Amino acid sequence: DLSTGIIYRRRIATCQNVIPEILRKVSVLKVPDIYLEEESWLNMQKRSMAMKTHCLTWTQYASLSEESVFRESLENPNWTDFTQKGRISVTGAGLLNCVLEAFAQSFLKQGVKK
């Protein structure tokens, strides 16, 4: 946007399906790839970037979204403050709802630690 200087990007990411093989016995989970939509807003003047991501695969069964903000630290301009929020909700999978939510939560927590 020439008036604000904000760079906006929207893209689709293809990720390898990381659901354990034992859970892929359920036919709907047996897909090779998972698709995510990511939007980002880069503001060079404020030295900040916001990102929103949500899952495009299994939307009739699950909702997975994440929001991240990167901005210049108030303590040191060479540091980055990073905040992240995420939501996971699985419905329509019967008894597997809880198992799939627990797996997704564990997988995402490992990613956050990295």
Side-chain angles (χ1 to χ4, degrees):
D1 183 349
L2 295 176
S3 65
T4 63
I6 295 174
I7 299 170
Y8 170 77
R9 288 197 174 108
R10 179 175 170 248
R11 60 187 177 174
I12 305 295
T14 304
C15 303
Q16 182 180 355
N17 186 350
V18 294
I19 291 179
E21 201 61 42
I22 192 157
L23 294 176
R24 290 195 212 180
K25 302 293 182 201
V26 177
S27 63
V28 73
L29 300 177
K30 196 173 186 170
V31 296
D33 299 314
I34 298 169
Y35 299 98
L36 305 171
E37 180 181 61
E38 177 186 271
E39 295 180 280
S40 65
W41 297 264
L42 176 61
N43 187 329
M44 294 299 286
Q45 293 172 348
K46 293 185 178 180
R47 295 181 48 128
S48 68
M49 183 172 73
M51 296 176 65
K52 289 186 178 183
T53 306
H54 67 272
C55 190
L56 299 174
T57 306
W58 302 311
T59 56
Q60 69 272 35
Y61 301 104
S63 170
L64 185 141
S65 63
E66 179 247 342
E67 296 178 19
S68 301
V69 177
F70 303 82
R71 59 174 48 105
E72 182 180 303
S73 172
L74 296 175
E75 293 178 47
N76 183 334
N78 294 320
W79 295 351
T80 301
D81 284 337
F82 170 63
T83 56
Q84 184 178 45
K85 293 185 230 176
R87 286 182 291 283
I88 302 165
S89 175
V90 179
T91 58
L95 298 173
L96 287 178
N97 287 354
C98 186
V99 172
L100 291 171
E101 282 182 3
F103 170 75
Q105 183 179 25
S106 171
F107 180 78
L108 293 174
K109 280 184 180 179
Q110 288 175 359
V112 168
K113 287 179 183 178
K114 289 180 184 177

